[in-house]
Amino acid sequence: MCDAIFMGRLTAGATHEMQNILATIRESAGLMEDLLALGGEGFAHAERFKKGLGVLSEQVERGMALSEQLNYCAHAPEPSPTGAEVNEAMRSLVGLYRREAARQRVALVLAPGRSGLRTELRALETMALVGQALDLALPLLPRNGQLMLSVEEHGGLAVVRLDGPSYEALRSLPGHAGLERAAKACHAGLCAGPGGQGVALSLPKPVA
């Protein structure tokens, strides 16, 4: 784990630099938009220029979001005295997993959930456990389908739910045994979601 923490620190520094670069691009694009608004009436390609700046701004915001998620992941191996905040971990996981889901023509969505729910697991352990469940569920979904992930509270525990294929279908996969072992190693509960659909992972409470 020392290796993961060391690499995380290097990655955190790199993501901060990426954010600084993107912030400079954002400011420069904003300045160009202002200058165009002030004196662009005689510019023959003003509309195309505005459109290009709009696309640039959108991509900068996308890059900022990705760098923030990477920065969170960089700190994910580090232990926290209060435990990992589950919604924060899931936001980063879903943000970075969307590309994998899109490759399988599935929309991965994080439902609005209750903030402040914590687990004794490190953020890395929480993300890795849910990531295993995602790896099982995604190939079973139809193309152009949707996989909804949500964070809820049941009996004082943070519960991560994947509303996807039936639990019986998931249990029939060879990888399900690995998910069971991972959940047991993390002292997390693993069961079917409501109506036998999807997966529910009950995460252990932080140590008081």
Side-chain angles (χ1 to χ4, degrees), residues 57-144:
S57 296
E58 289 174 3
Q59 293 305 308
V60 165
E61 295 307 317
R62 183 183 174 203
M64 291 292 281
L66 284 170
S67 63
E68 287 171 6
Q69 291 156 2
L70 281 173
N71 186 264
Y72 181 88
C73 290
H75 294 288
E78 299 172 4
S80 170
T82 58
E85 210 281 346
V86 181
N87 259 304
E88 287 182 4
M90 292 304 100
R91 273 195 295 271
S92 290
L93 178 66
V94 168
L96 295 171
Y97 238 80
R98 281 198 176 109
R99 182 173 179 83
E100 178 62 28
R103 286 177 56 200
Q104 302 189 47
R105 304 292 192 274
V106 174
L108 182 58
V109 179
L110 177 63
R114 179 182 160 185
S115 61
L117 293 175
R118 293 186 173 273
T119 174
E120 72 172 12
L121 301 176
R122 289 173 293 114
L124 176 63
E125 294 169 317
T126 306
M127 296 168 76
L129 182 60
V130 178
Q132 276 191 255
L134 286 172
D135 286 341
L136 283 179
L138 285 172
L140 294 178
L141 292 168
R143 288 199 165 201
N144 301 316

Side-chain angles (χ1 to χ4, degrees), residues 17-202:
E17 289 303 313
M18 287 171 59
Q19 288 172 345
N20 290 337
I21 292 167
L22 289 167
T24 301
I25 295 172
R26 176 199 279 161
E27 290 174 6
S28 298
L31 176 60
M32 293 171 72
E33 286 178 340
D34 292 342
L35 291 173
L36 189 62
L38 289 172
E41 291 183 4
F43 183 31
H45 303 289
E47 287 305 315
R48 292 179 64 186
F49 204 75
K50 286 179 184 177
K51 184 177 180 181
L53 286 173
V55 172
L56 179 62
S57 296
E58 289 174 3
Q59 293 305 308
V60 165
E61 295 307 317
R62 183 183 174 203
M64 291 292 281
L66 284 170
S67 63
E68 287 171 6
Q69 291 156 2
L70 281 173
N71 186 264
Y72 181 88
C73 290
H75 294 288
E78 299 172 4
S80 170
T82 58
E85 210 281 346
V86 181
N87 259 304
E88 287 182 4
M90 292 304 100
R91 273 195 295 271
S92 290
L93 178 66
V94 168
L96 295 171
Y97 238 80
R98 281 198 176 109
R99 182 173 179 83
E100 178 62 28
R103 286 177 56 200
Q104 302 189 47
R105 304 292 192 274
V106 174
L108 182 58
V109 179
L110 177 63
R114 179 182 160 185
S115 61
L117 293 175
R118 293 186 173 273
T119 174
E120 72 172 12
L121 301 176
R122 289 173 293 114
L124 176 63
E125 294 169 317
T126 306
M127 296 168 76
L129 182 60
V130 178
Q132 276 191 255
L134 286 172
D135 286 341
L136 283 179
L138 285 172
L140 294 178
L141 292 168
R143 288 199 165 201
N144 301 316
Q146 176 177 286
L147 178 57
M148 179 78 74
L149 190 150
S150 59
V151 179
E152 305 169 355
E153 181 183 11
H154 291 290
L157 297 176
V159 178
V160 179
R161 274 183 47 199
L162 278 70
D163 294 331
S166 72
Y167 189 63
E168 285 304 313
L170 290 169
R171 288 187 66 183
S172 68
L173 298 174
H176 185 268
L179 178 60
E180 285 184 319
R181 287 193 297 270
K184 185 176 181 180
C186 291
H187 306 290
L190 172 65
C191 65
Q197 293 298 117
V199 174
L201 289 161
S202 302

